[in-house]
């Protein structure tokens, strides 16, 4: 790079103007959020402070100040970090120039500062390093990128007045005259934010929201942060903010928070009431296959509470506190959200605020997305694992009066289930009581435990058209459990009524016969779950197995019970529908 003796640098003279303008446009367009300027400023300032503390063991604490002036639409960022040396300052606005080498530093691309300089029409950088202050100024950059005005000139003044003579090193960057037109109509204009909103933005989307605290990792260097907003009304608001990520728990009373371990203990002690309605949070560290750490911070609460918090802080739409998978790296939030996962209970995601921190992330220009698909996939898997661990606790955080809200959000979930049910083979019987698990090819999850389950199962089978019977009556207050009807001749529509009896174990019909509760001869169908053929044979019955689909038999029957003809009883045989066998055949 050539510099003229007056320390003026023509905006990147070594290439033709159009090529630079093109590159400048690319940089501007690669940024997607209206708060990116704050992101880049904060990141450079925090890096500079970390570098300073690494260099100087006597350095106690960083000082960082962010000022937003709503009147001249300017942003100023001050830090007492390392500062920029005289040779470097001439290069800092060159796209892709970065003097950062340390792996722990956040900046890497060398475009952040260039972006800041291009966003407005008045850029100033005053810095001190090695006891010497220097100042860089650039005017009209935004106009020039937009095709108006001539190529801007970068002035570097090496005889600058030291604005903070007591400090050994510092940097103050300010960009003013950020045009309103740089903000799209529907986008958030950061010059409309009050101090609380701004503090929230800085603590959730920029390097000022140090995420290490969530995992008990202290920062490389303490930083005292002051935020100022010069309002349109002439009021100046000032607020000190901690150098810490603002998780939703930040805004909550500690009494309404509970850790996951506490939740587990309470539930194990049968003290559900101590958990109900509380927000649950915890942190956990996972290891990747390459032995790298993925840190997860998880917070669970009701959608109602997220809304409440957002309303209390008067957060604009783009800044609302809500569930999601937020990505952080090297102690800072990135502003990147992973898409919600398609897990079984997708309807729970709005309740889950998950922050995943992974240091080996590479981001695209403008830090909008993670570049490596494998990293995205790996993080998605970790998120799914967290989800599986906590899914069962979500219900405790949901407020009772939240019914309608949850109902609305769970419409999608319901639709998914309906589709799944429709695709199920024949019918699904779901008994939530514990019991022996069935083979995986079963269309239902638990074996029936008693007669009532068999009735439910058979009714579902009818409803699904598995058997051609019509159900006339099911009742326990008559001698027979059930009356069915079967159309035996489709042309004449001739229908016959059938007496049916439900049993959990088919052979227990013997007891009914003994006690004369049921009369053999009147009973036509026995519907049961299991059938002990030996017991029946010992009692004198003939038990014939029926091949599926045998024409002469009643539909669905698996067995036929009859007395030997020598018994001189001319009764009709009883058809048996042994459901466990029907299901085995069909699935
Ligand atoms: N506040 C600051 N204090 C000291 N040096 C700074 C400061 N801001 C910028 N710099 C210097 O300017 C260089 C360019 O900054 P820039 O933000 O463009 O790039 P970066 O931070 O290295 O990478 P990235 O594009 O990822 O932000 C930095 O590498 C650093 O040397
Ligand atoms: Mg940077």
């Amino acid at each position: 790079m050539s510099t003229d003796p007056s320390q003026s640098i023509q905006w990147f003279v070594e290439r033709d103007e159009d090529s630079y303008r093109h590159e400048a446009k690319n940089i501007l367009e690669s940024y997607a959020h209206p708060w990116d300027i704050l992101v880049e400023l904060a990141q450079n300032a925090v890096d500079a402070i970390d570098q300073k503390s690494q260099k100087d063991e006597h350095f106690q604490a960083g000082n960082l100040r962010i000022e937003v002036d709503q009147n001249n639409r300017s942003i100023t960022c001050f830090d007492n970090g390392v500062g920029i040396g005289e040779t470097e300052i001439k290069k800092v606005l060159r796209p892709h120039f970065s003097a950062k080498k340390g792996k722990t530093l956040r900046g890497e691309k060398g475009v952040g500062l260039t972006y800041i300089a291009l966003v407005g029409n008045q850029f100033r950088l005053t810095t001190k390093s090695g006891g010497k202050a220097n100042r860089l100024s650039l005017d009209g950059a935004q106009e020039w990128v937009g095709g108006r005005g001539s190529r801007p000139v970068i002035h570097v003044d090496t005889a600058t007045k030291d604005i903070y003579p007591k400090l050994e090193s510092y940097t103050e960057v300010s960009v003013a005259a950020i045009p309103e037109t740089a903000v799209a109509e529907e986008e958030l204009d950061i010059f409309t934010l009050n101090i609380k909103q701004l503090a929230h933005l800085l603590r959730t989307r920029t390097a000022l929201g140090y995420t290490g605290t969530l995992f008990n990792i202290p920062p490389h260097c303490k930083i005292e942060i002051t935020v100022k907003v010069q309002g349109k009304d002439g009021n100046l608001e000032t607020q000190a903010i901690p150098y810490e990520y603002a998780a939703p728990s930040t805004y909550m009373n500690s009494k309404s928070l509970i850790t996951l371990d506490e939740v587990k203990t309470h539930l194990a002690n049968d003290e559900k009431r101590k958990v109900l309605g509380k927000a649950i949070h915890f942190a956990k560290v996972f290891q990747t296959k390459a032995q790298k750490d993925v840190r997860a911070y998880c917070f669970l609460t009701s959608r109602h509470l997220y809304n409440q918090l957002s309303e209390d802080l008067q957060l604009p739409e783009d800044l609302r506190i809500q569930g999601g998978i937020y990505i952080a790296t090297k102690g800072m939030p990135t502003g990147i959200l992973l898409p919600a996962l398609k897990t079984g209970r997708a309807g729970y995601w709005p309740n889950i605020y998950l922050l995943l921190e992974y240091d080996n992330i590479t981001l695209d220009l403008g830090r909008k997305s993670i570049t490596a698909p494998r990293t995205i996939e790996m993080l998605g898997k970790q998120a799914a694992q967290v989800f599986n661990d906590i899914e069962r606790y979500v219900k405790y955080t949901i407020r009772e009066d939240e019914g309608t809200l949850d109902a609305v959000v769970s419409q999608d979930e319901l639709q998914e289930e309906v589709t799944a049910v429709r695709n199920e083979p024949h019918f699904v019987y779901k008994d939530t009581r514990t019991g022996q698990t069935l083979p995986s090819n079963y269309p239902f999850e638990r074996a029936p435990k008693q007669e009532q389950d068999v009735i439910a199962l058979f009714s579902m089978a009818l409803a699904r058209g598995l058997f051609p019977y019509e159900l006339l009556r099911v009742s326990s207050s008559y001698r027979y459990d059930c009356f069915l009807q079967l159309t035996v001749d489709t042309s004449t529509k001739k229908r016959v009524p059938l007496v049916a009896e439900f049993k959990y174990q088919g052979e227990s019909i013997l007891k009914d016969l003994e006690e004369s509760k049921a009369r053999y001869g009147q009973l036509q169908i026995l519907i049961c779950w299991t059938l002990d053929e030996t017991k029946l044979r010992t009692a004198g019955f003939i038990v014939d197995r029926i091949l599926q689909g045998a024409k002469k038999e009643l539909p669905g029957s698996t067995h036929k019970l009859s007395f030997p003809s020598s018994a001189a009883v001319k009764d009709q045989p009883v058809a048996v529908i042994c459901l466990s066998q029907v299901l085995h055949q069909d699935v």
Side-chain angles (χ1 to χ4, degrees):
M1 173 177 290
S2 63
T3 54
D4 66 22
S6 66
Q7 303 290 321
S8 293
I9 309 162
Q10 177 95 67
W11 183 264
F12 314 129
V13 283
E14 63 268 47
R15 283 178 9 207
D16 70 281
E17 185 175 353
D18 277 349
S19 132
Y20 268 118
R21 190 185 272 124
H22 189 71
E23 179 156 14
K25 257 192 182 150
N26 265 347
I27 292 175
L28 275 178
E29 282 167 7
S30 66
Y31 284 86
H33 302 122
W35 51 79
D36 283 327
I37 178 161
L38 293 168
V39 171
E40 295 301 334
L41 284 168
Q43 202 180 93
N44 283 344
V46 171
D47 272 348
I49 289 168
D50 275 0
Q51 282 171 297
K52 177 81 179 173
S53 77
Q54 276 164 23
K55 267 173 117 174
D56 179 356
E57 53 181 284
H58 302 295
F59 186 71
Q60 291 291 322
N63 255 302
L64 201 157
R65 190 183 68 241
I66 296 237
E67 262 180 85
V68 174
D69 188 333
Q70 298 183 342
N71 299 298
N72 64 358
R73 298 182 65 83
S74 73
I75 296 174
T76 304
C77 177
F78 163 87
D79 70 75
N80 65 343
V82 277
I84 303 171
E86 199 169 321
T87 23
E88 271 180 357
I89 197 171
K90 293 167 191 166
K91 301 181 196 162
V92 288
L93 288 192
R94 199 192 283 188
H96 310 293
F97 169 81
S98 174
K100 295 177 189 172
K101 287 176 199 87
K103 260 206 154 181
T104 55
L105 297 175
R106 296 143 191 91
E108 46 162 8
K109 296 227 177 336
V111 291
L113 199 64
T114 314
Y115 167 72
I116 295 162
L118 293 170
V119 163
N121 280 311
Q122 201 187 89
F123 177 81
R124 301 287 179 269
L125 185 153
T126 311
T127 184
K128 185 176 169 186
S129 160
K132 201 168 176 313
N134 289 295
R135 184 179 169 91
L136 179 152
S137 50
L138 169 70
D139 290 298
Q142 167 76 215
E143 291 273 301
W144 169 71
V145 181
R148 297 171 297 275
S150 55
R151 191 191 307 217
V153 177
I154 299 168
H155 290 281
V156 177
D157 176 3
T158 50
T160 305
K161 187 173 166 282
D162 185 356
I163 47 174
Y164 304 103
K166 284 189 187 150
L167 296 178
E168 198 179 76
S169 62
Y170 62 83
T171 301
E172 188 170 85
V173 179
S174 91
V175 52
I178 301 171
E180 258 170 273
T181 49
V183 185
E185 193 73 46
E186 67 282 3
E187 262 180 11
L188 170 74
D189 183 0
I190 52 173
F191 294 104
T192 60
L193 299 178
N194 66 29
I195 196 133
K196 271 192 185 163
Q197 298 165 331
L198 183 66
H200 178 74
L201 191 168
L202 293 168
R203 292 184 64 195
T204 51
R205 278 140 179 98
T206 80
L208 303 192
Y210 175 67
T211 50
T213 315
L214 299 171
F215 311 103
N216 286 321
I217 305 168
H220 297 297
C221 179
K222 273 192 221 155
I223 306 183
E224 283 154 15
I225 306 169
T226 313
V227 183
K228 293 186 175 199
V229 174
Q230 179 67 61
K232 279 219 168 90
D233 51 10
N235 277 348
L236 177 70
E237 291 180 291
T238 305
Q239 193 184 316
I241 60 167
Y243 176 42
E244 269 172 30
Y245 183 75
S249 55
T250 314
Y251 303 112
M252 289 176 63
N253 184 322
S254 62
K255 279 188 193 144
S256 22
L257 287 168
I258 192 165
T259 65
L260 187 61
D261 285 340
E262 288 170 327
V263 170
K264 288 180 179 167
T265 312
H266 291 325
L267 293 180
N269 296 338
D270 230 3
E271 294 180 308
K272 225 193 250 175
R273 310 190 89 235
K274 291 191 176 168
V275 177
L276 282 174
K278 298 226 169 119
I280 305 172
H281 67 162
F282 66 98
K284 194 173 175 172
V285 183
F286 294 92
Q287 292 241 301
T288 65
K289 279 192 198 132
Q291 304 295 306
K292 301 251 162 57
D293 284 354
V294 177
R295 292 175 286 276
Y297 169 81
C298 188
F299 177 92
L300 292 180
T301 196
S302 63
R303 286 180 271 265
H304 174 88
L305 196 95
Y306 287 120
N307 288 336
Q308 192 65 52
L309 293 176
S310 304
E311 265 150 45
D312 289 351
L313 287 163
Q314 296 176 315
L315 294 177
E317 192 60 34
D318 289 0
L319 299 179
R320 284 182 84 86
I321 302 172
Q322 52 195 9
I325 310 168
Y326 299 87
I327 303 299
T329 185
K330 296 178 182 170
M332 65 166 183
T334 61
I336 295 171
L337 267 164
L338 234 55
L341 303 174
K342 291 244 176 285
T343 49
R345 290 208 157 264
Y348 278 172
W349 274 112
N351 299 75
I352 302 172
Y353 190 104
L354 178 62
L355 182 123
L356 288 180
E357 176 161 327
Y358 182 57
D359 291 345
N360 295 66
I361 286 175
T362 47
L363 301 173
D364 69 341
L365 194 67
R367 303 186 217 276
K368 300 175 295 298
S369 57
I370 299 170
T371 44
R374 292 177 73 186
T375 306
I376 300 173
E377 195 186 317
M378 183 277 287
L379 291 171
K381 279 188 186 153
Q382 302 292 12
Q385 194 175 329
V386 176
F387 185 89
N388 286 338
D389 290 349
I390 54 160
E391 188 184 10
R392 77 196 76 152
Y393 304 109
V394 175
K395 60 172 181 274
Y396 300 110
T397 69
I398 293 172
R399 280 175 38 151
E400 274 168 30
D401 61 354
E402 210 181 22
T404 45
L405 239 176
D406 275 311
V408 173
V409 183
S410 61
Q411 279 300 322
D412 284 354
E413 205 186 337
L414 180 66
Q415 195 49 53
E416 271 178 36
E417 285 199 31
V418 169
T419 315
V421 168
R422 286 206 174 115
N423 293 330
E424 273 158 8
H426 303 310
F427 49 85
V428 165
Y429 174 74
K430 216 176 194 180
D431 182 349
T432 50
R433 285 163 296 180
T434 49
Q436 149 210 16
T437 345
L438 294 164
S440 58
N441 62 349
Y442 257 62
F444 53 98
E445 298 192 345
R446 299 267 185 236
K449 285 280 174 200
Q450 49 170 308
E451 196 175 306
Q452 291 301 321
D453 300 337
V454 179
I455 298 174
L457 206 51
F458 183 73
S459 310
M460 286 174 72
L462 289 189
R464 287 258 175 149
L466 192 60
F467 308 121
Y469 305 102
E470 261 176 85
L471 190 59
L472 296 181
R473 183 175 81 195
V474 180
S475 171
S476 54
S477 45
Y478 294 87
R479 184 192 283 269
Y480 297 105
D481 287 341
C482 176
F483 279 88
L484 298 170
Q485 181 163 268
L486 182 69
T487 306
V488 285
D489 188 335
T490 38
S491 54
T492 60
K493 293 204 176 133
K494 189 184 169 217
R495 297 182 295 183
V496 292
L498 299 160
V499 175
E501 188 69 30
F502 289 106
K503 287 287 171 225
Y504 174 66
Q505 294 170 316
E507 63 279 9
S508 51
I509 190 73
L510 288 172
K511 207 169 162 246
D512 286 10
L513 294 172
E514 272 165 29
E515 294 169 3
S516 301
K517 274 192 199 150
R519 234 170 264 161
Y520 188 71
Q522 290 171 353
L523 179 66
Q524 283 142 309
I525 309 182
L526 172 66
I527 301 160
C528 57
W529 176 241
T530 55
L531 191 73
D532 187 334
E533 297 178 25
T534 322
K535 260 195 187 162
L536 287 162
R537 287 199 183 101
T538 317
F541 276 96
I542 296 171
V543 185
D544 294 315
R545 293 204 182 172
I546 292 170
L547 289 175
Q548 213 196 349
K551 282 227 171 77
K552 283 198 300 195
E553 312 297 337
L554 285 174
S557 46
T558 52
H559 300 80
K560 191 160 75 180
L561 290 186
S562 43
F563 273 114
S565 48
S566 61
V569 187
K570 279 230 173 117
D571 283 328
Q572 280 278 325
V574 177
V576 181
I577 300 180
C578 177
L579 283 172
S580 65
Q581 294 194 16
V582 174
L583 297 170
H584 272 306
Q585 286 165 0
D586 277 21
V587 176

Short mmCIF file of all heavy atoms in Angstrom, two decimals, residues 389-418:
data_model
loop_
_atom_site.label_atom_id
_atom_site.label_comp_id
_atom_site.label_asym_id
_atom_site.label_seq_id
_atom_site.Cartn_x
_atom_site.Cartn_y
_atom_site.Cartn_z
N ASP A 389 -33.01 -35.67 26.97
CA ASP A 389 -32.79 -35.67 28.41
C ASP A 389 -33.84 -34.88 29.17
O ASP A 389 -34.12 -35.15 30.33
CB ASP A 389 -31.41 -35.06 28.73
CG ASP A 389 -30.28 -35.97 28.29
OD1 ASP A 389 -30.58 -37.13 27.95
OD2 ASP A 389 -29.12 -35.53 28.30
N ILE A 390 -34.38 -33.86 28.54
CA ILE A 390 -35.22 -32.93 29.28
C ILE A 390 -36.69 -32.96 28.89
O ILE A 390 -37.52 -32.40 29.59
CB ILE A 390 -34.73 -31.48 29.10
CG1 ILE A 390 -34.63 -31.18 27.62
CG2 ILE A 390 -33.40 -31.28 29.80
CD1 ILE A 390 -34.63 -29.75 27.34
N GLU A 391 -36.99 -33.62 27.80
CA GLU A 391 -38.35 -33.61 27.26
C GLU A 391 -39.39 -33.88 28.36
O GLU A 391 -40.40 -33.20 28.46
CB GLU A 391 -38.45 -34.65 26.17
CG GLU A 391 -39.73 -34.60 25.41
CD GLU A 391 -39.82 -35.73 24.38
OE1 GLU A 391 -38.98 -36.64 24.40
OE2 GLU A 391 -40.76 -35.68 23.59
N ARG A 392 -39.08 -34.86 29.20
CA ARG A 392 -40.06 -35.26 30.21
C ARG A 392 -40.29 -34.21 31.29
O ARG A 392 -41.20 -34.31 32.08
CB ARG A 392 -39.64 -36.59 30.82
CG ARG A 392 -38.52 -36.46 31.84
CD ARG A 392 -37.88 -37.77 32.11
NE ARG A 392 -37.01 -38.11 30.98
CZ ARG A 392 -35.94 -38.88 31.09
NH1 ARG A 392 -35.65 -39.44 32.22
NH2 ARG A 392 -35.16 -39.12 30.06
N TYR A 393 -39.40 -33.19 31.35
CA TYR A 393 -39.57 -32.19 32.39
C TYR A 393 -40.33 -30.95 31.92
O TYR A 393 -40.70 -30.11 32.72
CB TYR A 393 -38.20 -31.77 32.95
CG TYR A 393 -37.42 -32.95 33.47
CD1 TYR A 393 -36.29 -33.42 32.80
CD2 TYR A 393 -37.84 -33.62 34.61
CE1 TYR A 393 -35.59 -34.53 33.25
CE2 TYR A 393 -37.16 -34.73 35.07
CZ TYR A 393 -36.03 -35.18 34.39
OH TYR A 393 -35.36 -36.28 34.84
N VAL A 394 -40.49 -30.86 30.59
CA VAL A 394 -41.13 -29.66 30.05
C VAL A 394 -42.50 -29.45 30.68
O VAL A 394 -42.88 -28.33 31.02
CB VAL A 394 -41.25 -29.73 28.51
CG1 VAL A 394 -42.03 -28.54 27.96
CG2 VAL A 394 -39.87 -29.78 27.87
N LYS A 395 -43.23 -30.53 30.89
CA LYS A 395 -44.61 -30.39 31.36
C LYS A 395 -44.71 -29.70 32.72
O LYS A 395 -45.70 -29.07 33.03
CB LYS A 395 -45.32 -31.73 31.38
CG LYS A 395 -44.72 -32.80 32.26
CD LYS A 395 -45.68 -33.99 32.29
CE LYS A 395 -45.20 -35.11 33.17
NZ LYS A 395 -44.28 -36.04 32.49
N TYR A 396 -43.65 -29.80 33.53
CA TYR A 396 -43.72 -29.17 34.85
C TYR A 396 -43.59 -27.65 34.76
O TYR A 396 -43.95 -26.94 35.68
CB TYR A 396 -42.61 -29.72 35.76
CG TYR A 396 -42.73 -31.21 35.96
CD1 TYR A 396 -41.81 -32.08 35.39
CD2 TYR A 396 -43.79 -31.73 36.70
CE1 TYR A 396 -41.93 -33.45 35.56
CE2 TYR A 396 -43.92 -33.09 36.87
CZ TYR A 396 -43.00 -33.95 36.29
OH TYR A 396 -43.13 -35.29 36.45
N THR A 397 -43.00 -27.19 33.66
CA THR A 397 -42.78 -25.74 33.55
C THR A 397 -43.98 -25.02 32.95
O THR A 397 -44.07 -23.82 33.00
CB THR A 397 -41.55 -25.45 32.67
OG1 THR A 397 -41.85 -25.80 31.32
CG2 THR A 397 -40.33 -26.23 33.12
N ILE A 398 -44.88 -25.79 32.36
CA ILE A 398 -46.02 -25.18 31.69
C ILE A 398 -47.06 -24.76 32.71
O ILE A 398 -47.42 -25.53 33.60
CB ILE A 398 -46.62 -26.17 30.66
CG1 ILE A 398 -45.60 -26.37 29.54
CG2 ILE A 398 -47.93 -25.64 30.11
CD1 ILE A 398 -45.98 -27.46 28.57
N ARG A 399 -47.51 -23.55 32.58
CA ARG A 399 -48.50 -23.07 33.54
C ARG A 399 -49.88 -23.60 33.21
O ARG A 399 -50.22 -23.81 32.06
CB ARG A 399 -48.53 -21.54 33.51
CG ARG A 399 -47.41 -20.93 34.31
CD ARG A 399 -47.42 -19.45 34.13
NE ARG A 399 -48.80 -18.95 34.10
CZ ARG A 399 -49.13 -17.73 34.50
NH1 ARG A 399 -48.21 -16.92 34.97
NH2 ARG A 399 -50.36 -17.31 34.40
N GLU A 400 -50.67 -23.77 34.26
CA GLU A 400 -52.01 -24.33 34.05
C GLU A 400 -52.88 -23.46 33.15
O GLU A 400 -53.62 -23.94 32.33
CB GLU A 400 -52.72 -24.50 35.39
CG GLU A 400 -52.37 -25.83 36.04
CD GLU A 400 -52.83 -25.88 37.47
OE1 GLU A 400 -53.84 -25.23 37.78
OE2 GLU A 400 -52.16 -26.53 38.27
N ASP A 401 -52.75 -22.14 33.34
CA ASP A 401 -53.61 -21.24 32.55
C ASP A 401 -53.08 -21.06 31.13
O ASP A 401 -53.52 -20.21 30.40
CB ASP A 401 -53.75 -19.89 33.25
CG ASP A 401 -52.42 -19.19 33.42
OD1 ASP A 401 -51.39 -19.81 33.09
OD2 ASP A 401 -52.41 -18.04 33.88
N GLU A 402 -52.11 -21.89 30.78
CA GLU A 402 -51.52 -21.71 29.47
C GLU A 402 -52.16 -22.60 28.42
O GLU A 402 -51.71 -22.64 27.28
CB GLU A 402 -50.04 -22.02 29.55
CG GLU A 402 -49.24 -21.24 28.55
CD GLU A 402 -47.78 -21.59 28.63
OE1 GLU A 402 -47.44 -22.66 29.12
OE2 GLU A 402 -46.99 -20.79 28.17
N GLY A 403 -53.19 -23.29 28.86
CA GLY A 403 -53.82 -24.26 27.98
C GLY A 403 -54.03 -23.82 26.55
O GLY A 403 -53.59 -24.48 25.63
N THR A 404 -54.64 -22.66 26.38
CA THR A 404 -54.98 -22.24 25.02
C THR A 404 -53.74 -22.01 24.18
O THR A 404 -53.68 -22.43 23.04
CB THR A 404 -55.81 -20.94 25.05
OG1 THR A 404 -55.18 -20.07 25.97
CG2 THR A 404 -57.24 -21.21 25.45
N LEU A 405 -52.77 -21.36 24.80
CA LEU A 405 -51.55 -21.08 24.05
C LEU A 405 -50.90 -22.37 23.57
O LEU A 405 -50.52 -22.52 22.42
CB LEU A 405 -50.57 -20.38 24.98
CG LEU A 405 -50.10 -19.00 24.55
CD1 LEU A 405 -49.23 -18.40 25.60
CD2 LEU A 405 -49.41 -19.07 23.21
N ASP A 406 -50.81 -23.32 24.50
CA ASP A 406 -50.19 -24.58 24.14
C ASP A 406 -50.99 -25.30 23.08
O ASP A 406 -50.45 -25.92 22.19
CB ASP A 406 -50.06 -25.48 25.37
CG ASP A 406 -48.80 -25.16 26.14
OD1 ASP A 406 -47.75 -25.09 25.48
OD2 ASP A 406 -48.88 -24.94 27.33
N ALA A 407 -52.32 -25.17 23.20
CA ALA A 407 -53.17 -25.83 22.23
C ALA A 407 -52.91 -25.28 20.84
O ALA A 407 -52.84 -26.03 19.88
CB ALA A 407 -54.63 -25.62 22.61
N VAL A 408 -52.74 -23.98 20.74
CA VAL A 408 -52.52 -23.37 19.44
C VAL A 408 -51.20 -23.87 18.86
O VAL A 408 -51.12 -24.33 17.74
CB VAL A 408 -52.49 -21.83 19.56
CG1 VAL A 408 -52.08 -21.22 18.23
CG2 VAL A 408 -53.85 -21.32 19.97
N VAL A 409 -50.17 -23.81 19.68
CA VAL A 409 -48.86 -24.17 19.18
C VAL A 409 -48.78 -25.65 18.85
O VAL A 409 -48.06 -26.07 17.96
CB VAL A 409 -47.76 -23.76 20.18
CG1 VAL A 409 -46.39 -24.07 19.64
CG2 VAL A 409 -47.88 -22.27 20.46
N SER A 410 -49.58 -26.47 19.59
CA SER A 410 -49.44 -27.90 19.36
C SER A 410 -50.28 -28.42 18.20
O SER A 410 -50.35 -29.61 17.97
CB SER A 410 -49.74 -28.66 20.63
OG SER A 410 -51.06 -28.39 21.00
N GLN A 411 -50.92 -27.53 17.46
CA GLN A 411 -51.70 -27.97 16.29
C GLN A 411 -50.86 -28.78 15.31
O GLN A 411 -51.28 -29.81 14.81
CB GLN A 411 -52.29 -26.77 15.54
CG GLN A 411 -53.57 -26.21 16.15
CD GLN A 411 -54.70 -27.23 16.19
OE1 GLN A 411 -54.87 -28.02 15.28
NE2 GLN A 411 -55.45 -27.23 17.27
N ASP A 412 -49.65 -28.30 15.08
CA ASP A 412 -48.76 -28.98 14.15
C ASP A 412 -48.44 -30.37 14.66
O ASP A 412 -48.43 -31.34 13.91
CB ASP A 412 -47.43 -28.23 14.03
CG ASP A 412 -47.58 -26.99 13.19
OD1 ASP A 412 -48.69 -26.82 12.63
OD2 ASP A 412 -46.62 -26.21 13.09
N GLU A 413 -48.20 -30.40 15.96
CA GLU A 413 -47.84 -31.66 16.59
C GLU A 413 -48.98 -32.65 16.44
O GLU A 413 -48.80 -33.82 16.11
CB GLU A 413 -47.60 -31.37 18.06
CG GLU A 413 -46.70 -32.34 18.74
CD GLU A 413 -46.65 -32.05 20.22
OE1 GLU A 413 -46.94 -30.90 20.62
OE2 GLU A 413 -46.36 -32.97 20.97
N LEU A 414 -50.19 -32.14 16.66
CA LEU A 414 -51.38 -32.97 16.56
C LEU A 414 -51.50 -33.51 15.14
O LEU A 414 -51.76 -34.70 14.93
CB LEU A 414 -52.62 -32.13 16.92
CG LEU A 414 -53.94 -32.87 16.85
CD1 LEU A 414 -53.99 -33.95 17.90
CD2 LEU A 414 -55.10 -31.90 17.04
N GLN A 415 -51.30 -32.63 14.16
CA GLN A 415 -51.40 -33.03 12.77
C GLN A 415 -50.42 -34.16 12.47
O GLN A 415 -50.76 -35.14 11.81
CB GLN A 415 -51.13 -31.82 11.87
CG GLN A 415 -51.55 -32.02 10.42
CD GLN A 415 -52.98 -32.57 10.31
OE1 GLN A 415 -53.91 -32.02 10.87
NE2 GLN A 415 -53.14 -33.69 9.60
N GLU A 416 -49.22 -34.02 13.02
CA GLU A 416 -48.20 -35.05 12.82
C GLU A 416 -48.68 -36.39 13.38
O GLU A 416 -48.49 -37.43 12.77
CB GLU A 416 -46.91 -34.68 13.56
CG GLU A 416 -45.96 -33.86 12.73
CD GLU A 416 -44.71 -33.48 13.51
OE1 GLU A 416 -44.26 -34.31 14.33
OE2 GLU A 416 -44.22 -32.36 13.32
N GLU A 417 -49.31 -36.31 14.54
CA GLU A 417 -49.77 -37.54 15.17
C GLU A 417 -50.90 -38.19 14.37
O GLU A 417 -50.96 -39.40 14.23
CB GLU A 417 -50.21 -37.28 16.61
CG GLU A 417 -49.01 -37.09 17.50
CD GLU A 417 -49.30 -37.27 18.98
OE1 GLU A 417 -50.18 -38.08 19.34
OE2 GLU A 417 -48.64 -36.59 19.76
N VAL A 418 -51.80 -37.33 13.86
CA VAL A 418 -52.91 -37.86 13.07
C VAL A 418 -52.37 -38.61 11.86
O VAL A 418 -52.79 -39.73 11.56
CB VAL A 418 -53.86 -36.71 12.62
CG1 VAL A 418 -54.85 -37.21 11.59
CG2 VAL A 418 -54.59 -36.13 13.82
#
